[in-house]
């Protein structure tokens, strides 16, 4: 397999400060390395020693980074993590929420702990850092009377669209992250905050069973995490000031821009209110016995 190494000049994010959660391995690590290569100072978060290891890797390559281990699902830690970035480097410009876990189970077999763990790390972890970061940017914008260089890049998944059968907790968390991203974009845009979410198709420890093994020889791996990194860097730049409130499907040199959900068709009763028979003859007939019009993702987006 031919190594894929995104190329940056080191000026794309010059003087910027980035915080990446779940950055000890896989996609988060690649994002942290890419942001550093593009000139950002990076706060690397993960559990255990992985955060400090990646920070050391960045420093060895000539960048600036600090590792901060800790549980992103702990609200107090997550908000303190944002403050650590600000106190260490004097500012925060780019928040990349990547941390996550899996507890796969069909809904009828899922325990409360399996549900809560996934929601806690994914959705609560995203929300806590967003809360702290946007509060800081709002205060800075008011103090300076100007919009900030402020970027939120969240990690969703196409699972929130097609409802992965064995991942109801994960699918629900990712749907929440997409909605959270739109809310942040709409609510904080006046302060300079630009919020977007990625739905990456990339081989990581969490998704390795989904994709085929890496190719041999000189072929580039279409599912390499490095394909996602240039999109993260671009969204972090000031050149992307007009880009907010989007969900991007990113994989193998391709970027798909998702359209917002739209109303497929509406129906009205001819009487004062609906009857079951009328509903069946209108809405039911439109949906069809096979459910062919039920909410689904187009084949071009499915894994």
């Amino acid at each position: 397999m031919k190594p894929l190494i995104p190329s940056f000049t080191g000026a794309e994010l010059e003087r910027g400060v980035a915080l990446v959660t779940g950055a000890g391995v896989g996609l988060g690590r690649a994002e942290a390395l890419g942001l550093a290569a593009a000139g950002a100072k990076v706060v690397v978060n993960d559990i255990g020693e992985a955060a400090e290891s990646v920070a050391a890797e960045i420093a060895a390559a000539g960048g600036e980074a600090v590792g901060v281990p800790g549980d992103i699902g702990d609200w107090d830690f997550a908000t303190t993590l944002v403050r650590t970035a600000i106190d260490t480097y004097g500012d925060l410009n780019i928040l990349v929420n990547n941390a996550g876990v899996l507890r796969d189970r069909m809904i009828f077999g899922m325990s409360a702990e399996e549900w809560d763990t996934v929601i806690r790390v994914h959705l609560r972890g995203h929300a806590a850092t967003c809360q702290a970061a946007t509060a800081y940017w709002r205060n800075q914008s008011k103090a300076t009377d100007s919009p900030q260089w402020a970027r939120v890049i969240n990690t969703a998944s196409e699972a929130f669209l097609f409802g992965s059968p064995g991942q109801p907790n994960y699918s629900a968390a990712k749907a929440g992250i997409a909605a959270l991203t739109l809310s942040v974009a709409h609510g904080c845009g006046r302060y300079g905050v630009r919020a977007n979410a990625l739905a990456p198709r990339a081989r990581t420890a969490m998704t390795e069973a989904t994709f085929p093994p890496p190719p041999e020889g000189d072929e580039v791996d279409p599912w390499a995490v490095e394909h996602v990194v240039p999109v993260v860097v671009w969204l972090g730049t000031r050149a992307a000031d007009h880009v907010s409130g989007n969900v991007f499907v990113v994989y193998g040199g391709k970027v798909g821009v998702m359209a917002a959900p739209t109303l497929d068709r509406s129906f009205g009763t001819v009487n004062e209110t609906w009857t079951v028979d009328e509903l069946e003859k209108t809405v039911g007939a439109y949906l069809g016995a096979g459910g062919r019009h039920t909410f689904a993702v187009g084949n071009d987006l499915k894994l």
Side-chain angles (χ1 to χ4, degrees):
M1 179 184 67
K2 182 180 179 180
L4 179 62
I5 303 174
S7 177
F8 303 108
T9 65
E12 292 89 349
L13 299 175
E14 187 177 2
R15 293 188 296 277
V17 179
L19 165 60
V20 187
T21 72
V25 295
L27 178 58
R29 172 182 171 274
E31 290 169 335
L33 294 175
L35 290 165
K41 301 171 184 177
V42 184
V43 176
V44 181
N45 163 255
D46 212 315
I47 55 175
E49 299 177 355
E52 293 171 340
S53 176
V54 173
E57 189 176 355
I58 290 172
E64 292 188 56
V66 59
V68 185
D71 176 9
I72 202 65
D74 181 323
W75 190 281
D76 290 339
F77 169 76
T79 54
T80 300
L81 179 64
V82 171
R83 176 48 59 183
T84 298
I86 298 164
D87 291 345
T88 301
Y89 293 120
D91 202 357
L92 176 64
N93 307 107
I94 304 158
L95 168 63
V96 181
N97 281 309
N98 176 73
V101 296
L102 293 178
R103 296 292 186 272
D104 291 355
R105 193 84 63 186
M106 300 293 283
I107 187 61
F108 45 76
M110 182 161 292
S111 69
E113 186 278 332
E114 289 166 335
W115 176 270
D116 289 345
T117 296
V118 171
I119 298 297
R120 178 180 179 275
V121 175
H122 285 274
L123 185 52
R124 182 183 173 96
H126 275 63
T129 55
C130 282
Q131 184 277 326
T134 55
Y136 167 72
W137 289 323
R138 177 177 180 270
N139 290 338
Q140 289 295 103
S141 179
K142 287 180 173 291
T144 61
D145 194 29
S146 63
Q148 301 298 290
W149 173 15
R151 305 288 184 262
V152 175
I153 304 168
N154 288 333
T155 306
S157 168
E158 291 169 275
F160 89 88
L161 288 173
F162 55 77
S164 183
Q167 297 178 311
N169 46 5
Y170 179 80
S171 299
K174 292 305 189 182
I177 288 168
L180 169 67
T181 304
L182 297 181
S183 182
V184 171
H186 295 157
C188 301
R190 73 188 75 175
Y191 309 118
V193 179
R194 302 295 180 258
N196 296 280
L198 306 181
R201 298 181 187 175
R203 186 189 297 100
T204 67
M206 288 177 55
T207 63
E208 59 185 355
T210 304
F211 301 101
E216 299 179 356
D218 292 333
E219 184 179 352
V220 171
D221 183 1
W223 311 117
V225 294
E226 286 79 10
H227 288 293
V228 182
V229 176
V231 180
V232 172
V233 171
W234 168 63
L235 289 174
T237 66
R238 282 163 283 196
D241 193 57
H242 62 294
V243 182
S244 193
N246 299 283
V247 179
F248 299 99
V249 180
V250 184
Y251 64 102
K254 298 182 183 297
V255 175
V257 182
M258 287 189 180
T262 57
L263 187 66
D264 190 14
R265 184 169 175 179
S266 62
F267 301 84
T269 178
V270 298
N271 303 305
E272 291 183 352
T273 189
W274 289 102
T275 66
V276 172
D277 182 62
E278 186 186 13
L279 284 166
E280 180 55 32
K281 290 178 179 178
T282 55
V283 182
Y286 176 70
L287 294 176
R292 62 181 179 274
H293 291 291
T294 53
F295 184 66
V297 183
N299 289 333
D300 60 327
L301 284 180
K302 285 189 176 180
L303 294 173

